[in-house]
Amino acid sequence: MKNKKILFIALLAAGFTACEPEFEHEVSNVDYNAGEADFTTYVAVGNSLTAGYMDGTVSRVGQSYSYPNLLAQQFAVVGGGAFTQPSYAEDANNLGGISGIPGFPTRLVINMHADNPKIPAGPESIAGTSTITLAPQQQAFNNMGVPGAKSFHLLLPGYGDAARLSLGAANPYYVRMATSASATVLGDAMSKRPTFFTNWIGSNDVLSYATSGGTGVDQTGNPNPATYGSNDITDPTYFAGVYTAIINTLTSEGAKGVVSTIPDITSIPFFTTVPYAPLTASAIGKEDEAVGLATIDQLNAQLYGPLKQIFTALGQPNRINLLSKTTPNPLLIKDETLTNYGAQITAAFTPALGAAGAAYAGSILGQARQATADDLVLLTTRAVIGKEPTGAPAPFDAYGVTYPLQDQHILIPSEITAVNTATASYNTAIKTIAASKNLAVADMNAIMNKLKTGFTSDDGQVYFAKYFSVATVNTVVFSLDGVHPNARGYALVANEILKVINEHYKAKLPLIVPGYYPGPTIVKTN
């Protein structure tokens, strides 16, 4: 009990320290130098990772921990000039979100149960209403990171035009900062006349496909982004052309800089937190194991057993196996790449379920199978498992148990291959284009992959790419959305870029201690 009390106090302390930035560890040392770089005017371009997005949004305090802002503080030691970011002064209560626009909720927090304060609840949007508006600031900033931007969006006129928001052709974050309705992100960035830049763009060219569960289209071979959907994979050849144009522009006035590669999705907790086989007897019984054991017997007799017989007769014996009472069972999913045996299932179930019930079973189970270790379950799917699909009759009223999880819930192997192929192509292009301009490369793909098994920082702490838990609260570097780093993670990112600059440009910049920065945000009550 004493240890639990100490842990609880530590968790609360972590939550409270997450409320304000801590920059008391200022550095000043005449021994530091800029080497071959000139940090007089530093500009950062990119997407949400550059903007300081964390816990599902950009908030006033969260933005202060953006890796470009942390870099600028180190650059200031060797002559770096002022560094500006889009104003979030209106976010008085640090809630994040964007007021009045669906899909932009307040930031995620861990809420400690008032009735059981030793057990943290799952992530939830912090209570309150966002005060962030789309009031135009019409100003170029040193941090030109735009959440949601893909590579070609940096060159797209009108991406900050409020009139195009309803068409899905503009970005609300850029609407807040664009210097005009026809401005481009890259044009605004260049108006700052950068002497040094960082460029971490490209993740969304493939990540939006992955986080949607592969509901988009792999547009490889199609170089026309005007025909792309928001969740599509950008054609790698087109990506390389856009990336070349971005780098040619950024270096057109002699600026040096650092580019970053795109992480493998399996290094991101959004895709690695929910196991493919979470269905224990207790889980099926909603925490009542006796109920779960009885339900497993019932499902094996009425659903899994008959399905096993049908698929075995059709030469597909591994699609479905009986549920186990002693080991965790895999989720039931739909795999759209499989042959649809809906008609055969309908015929087999008709004697037991009647024509209407059998037809329904055939319609939802024709491409069903149990998940395997080769599938990736999305973090957001955790909230869906066991819930009732709209209009589904019993016994088909539990997602992942008796009703297959759908395309938007799972990345199946063919989708994972498409993501990995595009990511590898993008990273090859990034490194090749950087080499042609003698730019430094921060290989974030390699760094994030090290985080899967433990990355030892220069302060000796081992950090992991895991999702929040009580056991990992002090070593997790990802925020509660499972995609973006927390403040400690952004400090780790900044540190790795500093080391690349020191090596490539023969500079001597002070490093950052990630352990000084807060981890997950925990509130006592929400």
Side-chain angles (χ1 to χ4, degrees):
M1 178 62 74
K2 181 178 179 181
N3 288 339
K4 290 183 177 179
K5 184 176 182 179
I6 293 173
L7 174 60
F8 173 55
I9 294 172
L11 288 170
L12 289 182
F16 294 147
T17 55
C19 294
E20 295 295 339
E22 48 175 317
F23 295 135
E24 68 273 30
H25 307 286
E26 296 178 355
V27 289
S28 60
N29 191 318
V30 294
D31 290 333
Y32 293 118
N33 66 79
E36 299 171 353
D38 177 0
F39 301 109
T40 302
T41 305
Y42 163 48
V43 171
V45 297
N47 49 41
S48 52
L49 293 165
T50 296
Y53 195 104
M54 67 177 76
D55 295 326
T57 188
V58 177
S59 67
R60 175 176 50 81
V61 173
Q63 182 206 40
S64 69
Y65 294 117
S66 73
Y67 80 83
N69 197 40
L70 301 183
L71 286 177
Q73 294 171 57
Q74 309 306 92
F75 295 165
V77 178
V78 295
F83 188 82
T84 58
Q85 303 194 96
S87 174
Y88 279 85
E90 65 201 306
D91 189 19
N93 296 318
N94 192 38
L95 300 181
I98 298 180
S99 177
I101 300 183
F104 292 85
T106 57
R107 64 188 172 94
L108 296 170
V109 296
I110 293 293
N111 177 23
M112 304 297 290
H113 279 301
D115 58 345
N116 190 358
K118 295 182 177 64
I119 302 175
E124 58 190 46
S125 294
I126 192 169
T129 302
S130 173
T131 54
I132 298 174
T133 71
L134 297 181
Q137 300 177 26
Q138 295 184 314
Q139 178 183 345
F141 296 93
N142 294 82
N143 188 341
M144 292 298 297
V146 179
K150 297 187 178 186
S151 59
F152 49 87
H153 288 145
L154 300 192
L155 308 175
L156 182 65
Y159 195 51
D161 183 357
R164 292 162 56 88
L165 278 174
S166 61
L167 304 175
N171 183 309
Y173 288 103
Y174 188 45
V175 166
R176 297 182 76 246
M177 57 199 282
T179 54
S180 72
S182 61
T184 68
V185 176
L186 189 59
D188 281 349
M190 289 304 294
S191 72
K192 302 292 290 184
R193 308 287 302 273
T195 61
F196 194 86
F197 66 87
T198 54
N199 175 20
W200 195 2
I201 193 69
S203 295
N204 288 327
D205 291 74
V206 66
L207 185 63
S208 58
Y209 174 89
T211 55
S212 75
T215 59
V217 176
D218 182 358
Q219 296 286 0
T220 297
N222 177 9
N224 182 7
T227 63
Y228 293 1
S230 60
N231 295 329
D232 291 356
I233 294 176
T234 303
D235 172 38
T237 302
Y238 182 72
F239 175 89
V242 167
Y243 203 90
T244 298
I246 293 170
I247 293 301
N248 284 344
T249 302
L250 288 170
T251 58
S252 60
E253 297 185 20
K256 295 181 170 64
V258 179
V259 301
S260 296
T261 59
I262 298 167
D264 173 0
I265 60 168
T266 61
S267 67
I268 301 174
F270 190 86
F271 301 100
T272 60
T273 300
V274 182
Y276 76 94
L279 302 178
T280 62
S282 177
I284 291 174
K286 301 185 185 307
E287 309 303 325
D288 187 327
E289 188 165 357
V291 170
L293 291 171
T295 302
I296 287 175
D297 283 337
Q298 183 180 16
L299 291 177
N300 280 339
Q302 297 180 352
L303 180 62
Y304 280 77
L307 275 178
K308 174 72 174 175
Q309 291 181 15
I310 295 168
F311 284 128
T312 299
L314 293 168
Q316 306 285 321
N318 295 323
R319 276 207 193 183
I320 297 291
N321 289 303
L322 296 180
L323 296 177
S324 169
K325 291 182 177 179
T326 57
T327 59
N329 294 286
L331 294 163
L332 185 67
I333 70 171
K334 176 184 177 181
D335 184 338
E336 60 271 22
T337 66
L338 296 178
T339 300
N340 190 333
Y341 291 115
Q344 291 85 344
I345 291 172
T346 298
F349 272 106
T350 296
L353 300 180
Y360 187 82
S363 69
I364 66 169
L365 298 172
Q367 292 178 296
R369 66 171 171 85
Q370 287 169 307
T372 74
D374 293 328
D375 300 301
L376 294 176
V377 185
L378 276 56
L379 179 63
T380 46
T381 300
R382 181 170 57 180
V384 175
I385 296 170
K387 297 295 174 55
E388 182 178 344
T390 302
F396 309 108
D397 53 357
Y399 264 127
V401 184
T402 59
Y403 191 103
L405 292 166
Q406 300 295 292
D407 191 17
Q408 68 270 24
H409 300 134
I410 301 284
L411 275 179
I412 59 177
S414 60
E415 294 167 338
I416 296 169
T417 297
V419 170
N420 290 341
T421 300
T423 301
S425 296
Y426 298 164
N427 284 338
T428 297
I430 289 170
K431 291 178 180 179
T432 301
I433 296 165
S436 72
K437 296 289 186 179
N438 193 28
L439 299 174
V441 177
D443 195 350
M444 289 303 167
N445 182 33
I447 293 167
M448 294 295 179
N449 275 322
K450 290 180 182 177
L451 281 166
K452 289 192 287 189
T453 54
F455 180 89
T456 303
S457 177
D458 292 79
D459 61 1
Q461 177 65 53
V462 180
Y463 295 105
F464 295 91
K466 292 184 178 179
Y467 197 65
F468 168 83
S469 74
V470 171
T472 61
V473 64
N474 290 320
T475 58
V476 168
V477 293
F478 275 83
S479 69
L480 298 175
D481 59 38
V483 174
H484 301 88
N486 56 28
R488 189 176 298 150
Y490 280 122
L492 188 148
V493 166
N495 221 24
E496 294 308 305
I497 293 176
L498 287 169
K499 287 192 282 188
V500 167
I501 294 172
N502 283 343
E503 179 177 354
H504 190 85
Y505 293 112
K506 300 179 176 57
K508 188 176 181 182
L509 294 166
L511 299 182
I512 294 172
V513 180
Y516 288 160
Y517 295 82
T521 302
I522 304 166
V523 297
K524 187 174 182 180
T525 60
N526 191 26

